[in-house]
mmCIF file of all heavy atoms in Angstrom:
data_model
loop_
_atom_site.group_PDB
_atom_site.id
_atom_site.type_symbol
_atom_site.label_atom_id
_atom_site.label_comp_id
_atom_site.label_asym_id
_atom_site.label_seq_id
_atom_site.Cartn_x
_atom_site.Cartn_y
_atom_site.Cartn_z
ATOM 1 N N SER Q 164 -42.275 4.121 -34.762
ATOM 2 C CA SER Q 164 -42.371 2.741 -34.279
ATOM 3 C C SER Q 164 -42.573 1.768 -35.432
ATOM 4 O O SER Q 164 -42.974 0.633 -35.243
ATOM 5 C CB SER Q 164 -43.547 2.618 -33.295
ATOM 6 O OG SER Q 164 -44.774 2.770 -33.968
ATOM 7 N N ASP Q 165 -42.266 2.224 -36.649
ATOM 8 C CA ASP Q 165 -42.641 1.480 -37.856
ATOM 9 C C ASP Q 165 -41.603 0.486 -38.353
ATOM 10 O O ASP Q 165 -41.922 -0.415 -39.116
ATOM 11 C CB ASP Q 165 -42.873 2.503 -38.963
ATOM 12 C CG ASP Q 165 -41.623 3.375 -39.120
ATOM 13 O OD1 ASP Q 165 -41.397 4.243 -38.250
ATOM 14 O OD2 ASP Q 165 -40.853 3.142 -40.055
ATOM 15 N N MET Q 166 -40.326 0.697 -37.997
ATOM 16 C CA MET Q 166 -39.228 -0.196 -38.412
ATOM 17 C C MET Q 166 -38.913 -0.187 -39.914
ATOM 18 O O MET Q 166 -38.311 -1.134 -40.428
ATOM 19 C CB MET Q 166 -39.469 -1.643 -37.923
ATOM 20 C CG MET Q 166 -39.279 -1.815 -36.426
ATOM 21 S SD MET Q 166 -37.612 -1.446 -35.830
ATOM 22 C CE MET Q 166 -36.733 -2.960 -36.255
ATOM 23 N N MET Q 167 -39.274 0.884 -40.618
ATOM 24 C CA MET Q 167 -38.811 0.998 -42.015
ATOM 25 C C MET Q 167 -37.326 1.381 -42.005
ATOM 26 O O MET Q 167 -36.860 2.075 -41.095
ATOM 27 C CB MET Q 167 -39.597 2.092 -42.764
ATOM 28 C CG MET Q 167 -41.081 1.826 -42.900
ATOM 29 S SD MET Q 167 -41.438 0.281 -43.732
ATOM 30 C CE MET Q 167 -42.618 -0.439 -42.587
ATOM 31 N N ASP Q 168 -36.614 0.980 -43.051
ATOM 32 C CA ASP Q 168 -35.199 1.355 -43.148
ATOM 33 C C ASP Q 168 -35.066 2.830 -43.500
ATOM 34 O O ASP Q 168 -35.799 3.338 -44.355
ATOM 35 C CB ASP Q 168 -34.507 0.542 -44.265
ATOM 36 C CG ASP Q 168 -34.438 -0.937 -43.928
ATOM 37 O OD1 ASP Q 168 -34.449 -1.279 -42.728
ATOM 38 O OD2 ASP Q 168 -34.374 -1.750 -44.877
ATOM 39 N N GLY Q 169 -34.139 3.487 -42.855
ATOM 40 C CA GLY Q 169 -33.786 4.859 -43.234
ATOM 41 C C GLY Q 169 -34.734 5.931 -42.750
ATOM 42 O O GLY Q 169 -34.561 7.106 -43.054
ATOM 43 N N ARG Q 170 -35.732 5.546 -41.941
ATOM 44 C CA ARG Q 170 -36.724 6.582 -41.590
ATOM 45 C C ARG Q 170 -36.178 7.554 -40.563
ATOM 46 O O ARG Q 170 -36.573 8.728 -40.560
ATOM 47 C CB ARG Q 170 -38.056 5.956 -41.175
ATOM 48 C CG ARG Q 170 -38.236 5.654 -39.708
ATOM 49 C CD ARG Q 170 -37.570 4.377 -39.278
ATOM 50 N NE ARG Q 170 -38.236 3.859 -38.071
ATOM 51 C CZ ARG Q 170 -37.644 3.251 -37.079
ATOM 52 N NH1 ARG Q 170 -36.333 3.029 -37.125
ATOM 53 N NH2 ARG Q 170 -38.340 2.822 -36.054
ATOM 54 N N ILE Q 171 -35.273 7.134 -39.723
ATOM 55 C CA ILE Q 171 -34.746 8.075 -38.717
ATOM 56 C C ILE Q 171 -33.973 9.201 -39.416
ATOM 57 O O ILE Q 171 -34.186 10.384 -39.136
ATOM 58 C CB ILE Q 171 -33.842 7.347 -37.692
ATOM 59 C CG1 ILE Q 171 -34.640 6.254 -36.968
ATOM 60 C CG2 ILE Q 171 -33.232 8.343 -36.701
ATOM 61 C CD1 ILE Q 171 -35.854 6.721 -36.215
ATOM 62 N N GLY Q 172 -33.122 8.824 -40.374
ATOM 63 C CA GLY Q 172 -32.365 9.833 -41.115
ATOM 64 C C GLY Q 172 -33.281 10.764 -41.888
ATOM 65 O O GLY Q 172 -33.105 11.990 -41.875
ATOM 66 N N ALA Q 173 -34.274 10.186 -42.560
ATOM 67 C CA ALA Q 173 -35.193 11.011 -43.367
ATOM 68 C C ALA Q 173 -35.947 11.993 -42.470
ATOM 69 O O ALA Q 173 -36.102 13.175 -42.805
ATOM 70 C CB ALA Q 173 -36.172 10.111 -44.119
ATOM 71 N N ILE Q 174 -36.408 11.517 -41.315
ATOM 72 C CA ILE Q 174 -37.160 12.394 -40.398
ATOM 73 C C ILE Q 174 -36.236 13.474 -39.822
ATOM 74 O O ILE Q 174 -36.600 14.646 -39.744
ATOM 75 C CB ILE Q 174 -37.842 11.556 -39.290
ATOM 76 C CG1 ILE Q 174 -38.974 10.724 -39.897
ATOM 77 C CG2 ILE Q 174 -38.359 12.444 -38.165
ATOM 78 C CD1 ILE Q 174 -39.616 9.719 -38.939
ATOM 79 N N ARG Q 175 -35.013 13.079 -39.459
ATOM 80 C CA ARG Q 175 -34.075 14.058 -38.885
ATOM 81 C C ARG Q 175 -33.786 15.190 -39.879
ATOM 82 O O ARG Q 175 -33.816 16.369 -39.528
ATOM 83 C CB ARG Q 175 -32.778 13.335 -38.483
ATOM 84 C CG ARG Q 175 -31.703 14.159 -37.776
ATOM 85 C CD ARG Q 175 -32.098 14.574 -36.345
ATOM 86 N NE ARG Q 175 -32.825 15.826 -36.306
ATOM 87 C CZ ARG Q 175 -33.612 16.222 -35.290
ATOM 88 N NH1 ARG Q 175 -33.795 15.488 -34.229
ATOM 89 N NH2 ARG Q 175 -34.234 17.369 -35.347
ATOM 90 N N VAL Q 176 -33.526 14.810 -41.125
ATOM 91 C CA VAL Q 176 -33.220 15.816 -42.142
ATOM 92 C C VAL Q 176 -34.422 16.731 -42.362
ATOM 93 O O VAL Q 176 -34.300 17.958 -42.408
ATOM 94 C CB VAL Q 176 -32.805 15.125 -43.467
ATOM 95 C CG1 VAL Q 176 -32.788 16.121 -44.619
ATOM 96 C CG2 VAL Q 176 -31.431 14.471 -43.311
ATOM 97 N N ALA Q 177 -35.619 16.136 -42.453
ATOM 98 C CA ALA Q 177 -36.817 16.943 -42.698
ATOM 99 C C ALA Q 177 -37.082 17.898 -41.531
ATOM 100 O O ALA Q 177 -37.421 19.065 -41.734
ATOM 101 C CB ALA Q 177 -38.022 16.033 -42.919
ATOM 102 N N LEU Q 178 -36.893 17.401 -40.309
ATOM 103 C CA LEU Q 178 -37.109 18.263 -39.137
ATOM 104 C C LEU Q 178 -36.123 19.433 -39.170
ATOM 105 O O LEU Q 178 -36.496 20.591 -38.982
ATOM 106 C CB LEU Q 178 -36.924 17.463 -37.842
ATOM 107 C CG LEU Q 178 -38.012 16.435 -37.485
ATOM 108 C CD1 LEU Q 178 -37.575 15.600 -36.282
ATOM 109 C CD2 LEU Q 178 -39.347 17.131 -37.184
ATOM 110 N N ASP Q 179 -34.862 19.126 -39.417
ATOM 111 C CA ASP Q 179 -33.834 20.177 -39.425
ATOM 112 C C ASP Q 179 -34.107 21.195 -40.538
ATOM 113 O O ASP Q 179 -33.998 22.401 -40.321
ATOM 114 C CB ASP Q 179 -32.441 19.572 -39.594
ATOM 115 C CG ASP Q 179 -32.003 18.827 -38.331
ATOM 116 O OD1 ASP Q 179 -32.759 18.844 -37.337
ATOM 117 O OD2 ASP Q 179 -30.911 18.233 -38.341
ATOM 118 N N ASP Q 180 -34.465 20.697 -41.713
ATOM 119 C CA ASP Q 180 -34.727 21.599 -42.846
ATOM 120 C C ASP Q 180 -35.843 22.584 -42.538
ATOM 121 O O ASP Q 180 -35.854 23.690 -43.048
ATOM 122 C CB ASP Q 180 -35.137 20.782 -44.088
ATOM 123 C CG ASP Q 180 -33.917 20.196 -44.770
ATOM 124 O OD1 ASP Q 180 -32.783 20.529 -44.360
ATOM 125 O OD2 ASP Q 180 -34.094 19.392 -45.710
ATOM 126 N N ASP Q 181 -36.823 22.121 -41.726
ATOM 127 C CA ASP Q 181 -37.954 22.998 -41.428
ATOM 128 C C ASP Q 181 -37.790 23.766 -40.118
ATOM 129 O O ASP Q 181 -38.759 24.325 -39.607
ATOM 130 C CB ASP Q 181 -39.257 22.186 -41.401
ATOM 131 C CG ASP Q 181 -39.761 21.913 -42.815
ATOM 132 O OD1 ASP Q 181 -38.969 22.116 -43.769
ATOM 133 O OD2 ASP Q 181 -40.924 21.511 -42.972
ATOM 134 N N GLY Q 182 -36.591 23.765 -39.569
ATOM 135 C CA GLY Q 182 -36.336 24.561 -38.362
ATOM 136 C C GLY Q 182 -36.734 23.876 -37.069
ATOM 137 O O GLY Q 182 -36.849 24.516 -36.031
ATOM 138 N N PHE Q 183 -36.940 22.559 -37.117
ATOM 139 C CA PHE Q 183 -37.319 21.836 -35.893
ATOM 140 C C PHE Q 183 -36.137 21.050 -35.337
ATOM 141 O O PHE Q 183 -36.263 19.881 -34.965
ATOM 142 C CB PHE Q 183 -38.493 20.899 -36.177
ATOM 143 C CG PHE Q 183 -39.735 21.622 -36.617
ATOM 144 C CD1 PHE Q 183 -40.255 21.423 -37.886
ATOM 145 C CD2 PHE Q 183 -40.368 22.512 -35.768
ATOM 146 C CE1 PHE Q 183 -41.395 22.093 -38.307
ATOM 147 C CE2 PHE Q 183 -41.512 23.183 -36.167
ATOM 148 C CZ PHE Q 183 -42.035 22.983 -37.450
ATOM 149 N N GLU Q 184 -34.977 21.700 -35.288
ATOM 150 C CA GLU Q 184 -33.780 20.966 -34.849
ATOM 151 C C GLU Q 184 -33.854 20.573 -33.371
ATOM 152 O O GLU Q 184 -33.110 19.708 -32.932
ATOM 153 C CB GLU Q 184 -32.492 21.757 -35.165
ATOM 154 C CG GLU Q 184 -32.357 23.112 -34.516
ATOM 155 C CD GLU Q 184 -33.084 24.226 -35.301
ATOM 156 O OE1 GLU Q 184 -33.566 23.959 -36.418
ATOM 157 O OE2 GLU Q 184 -33.172 25.341 -34.767
ATOM 158 N N ASP Q 185 -34.758 21.199 -32.607
ATOM 159 C CA ASP Q 185 -34.880 20.834 -31.192
ATOM 160 C C ASP Q 185 -35.862 19.690 -30.942
ATOM 161 O O ASP Q 185 -35.990 19.207 -29.812
ATOM 162 C CB ASP Q 185 -35.306 22.045 -30.357
ATOM 163 C CG ASP Q 185 -34.161 23.051 -30.232
ATOM 164 O OD1 ASP Q 185 -32.991 22.636 -30.396
ATOM 165 O OD2 ASP Q 185 -34.447 24.233 -29.979
ATOM 166 N N VAL Q 186 -36.576 19.274 -31.943
ATOM 167 C CA VAL Q 186 -37.492 18.130 -31.759
ATOM 168 C C VAL Q 186 -36.661 16.845 -31.727
ATOM 169 O O VAL Q 186 -35.846 16.599 -32.627
ATOM 170 C CB VAL Q 186 -38.542 18.078 -32.887
ATOM 171 C CG1 VAL Q 186 -39.357 16.785 -32.812
ATOM 172 C CG2 VAL Q 186 -39.467 19.293 -32.802
ATOM 173 N N GLY Q 187 -36.843 16.066 -30.669
ATOM 174 C CA GLY Q 187 -36.042 14.854 -30.496
ATOM 175 C C GLY Q 187 -36.630 13.644 -31.208
ATOM 176 O O GLY Q 187 -37.813 13.647 -31.578
ATOM 177 N N ILE Q 188 -35.796 12.633 -31.393
ATOM 178 C CA ILE Q 188 -36.295 11.373 -31.973
ATOM 179 C C ILE Q 188 -36.032 10.223 -31.004
ATOM 180 O O ILE Q 188 -34.893 9.932 -30.641
ATOM 181 C CB ILE Q 188 -35.633 11.065 -33.328
ATOM 182 C CG1 ILE Q 188 -35.888 12.204 -34.326
ATOM 183 C CG2 ILE Q 188 -36.165 9.741 -33.891
ATOM 184 C CD1 ILE Q 188 -35.294 11.968 -35.716
ATOM 185 N N LEU Q 189 -37.131 9.634 -30.560
ATOM 186 C CA LEU Q 189 -37.070 8.415 -29.757
ATOM 187 C C LEU Q 189 -37.341 7.279 -30.740
ATOM 188 O O LEU Q 189 -38.470 7.098 -31.191
ATOM 189 C CB LEU Q 189 -38.158 8.461 -28.668
ATOM 190 C CG LEU Q 189 -38.516 7.169 -27.937
ATOM 191 C CD1 LEU Q 189 -37.324 6.624 -27.169
ATOM 192 C CD2 LEU Q 189 -39.655 7.415 -26.951
ATOM 193 N N ALA Q 190 -36.284 6.579 -31.112
ATOM 194 C CA ALA Q 190 -36.416 5.587 -32.189
ATOM 195 C C ALA Q 190 -36.731 4.207 -31.633
ATOM 196 O O ALA Q 190 -36.027 3.713 -30.749
ATOM 197 C CB ALA Q 190 -35.113 5.525 -32.987
ATOM 198 N N TYR Q 191 -37.817 3.607 -32.132
ATOM 199 C CA TYR Q 191 -38.055 2.197 -31.849
ATOM 200 C C TYR Q 191 -37.051 1.462 -32.742
ATOM 201 O O TYR Q 191 -37.337 1.164 -33.902
ATOM 202 C CB TYR Q 191 -39.448 1.786 -32.273
ATOM 203 C CG TYR Q 191 -40.600 2.245 -31.403
ATOM 204 C CD1 TYR Q 191 -40.933 3.587 -31.291
ATOM 205 C CD2 TYR Q 191 -41.402 1.304 -30.747
ATOM 206 C CE1 TYR Q 191 -42.035 3.985 -30.534
ATOM 207 C CE2 TYR Q 191 -42.508 1.691 -29.992
ATOM 208 C CZ TYR Q 191 -42.814 3.036 -29.897
ATOM 209 O OH TYR Q 191 -43.903 3.417 -29.167
ATOM 210 N N SER Q 192 -35.867 1.208 -32.220
ATOM 211 C CA SER Q 192 -34.780 0.690 -33.062
ATOM 212 C C SER Q 192 -34.824 -0.824 -33.159
ATOM 213 O O SER Q 192 -34.636 -1.403 -34.226
ATOM 214 C CB SER Q 192 -33.438 1.127 -32.488
ATOM 215 O OG SER Q 192 -33.394 2.531 -32.393
#
Side-chain angles (χ1 to χ4, degrees):
S164 69
D165 55 286
M166 288 298 280
M167 297 302 130
D168 294 334
R170 91 280 204 216
I171 300 301
I174 291 173
R175 184 70 272 160
V176 167
L178 288 172
D179 289 357
D180 280 353
D181 281 14
F183 298 116
E184 61 276 352
D185 288 337
V186 172
I188 301 181
L189 165 62
Y191 285 66
S192 303

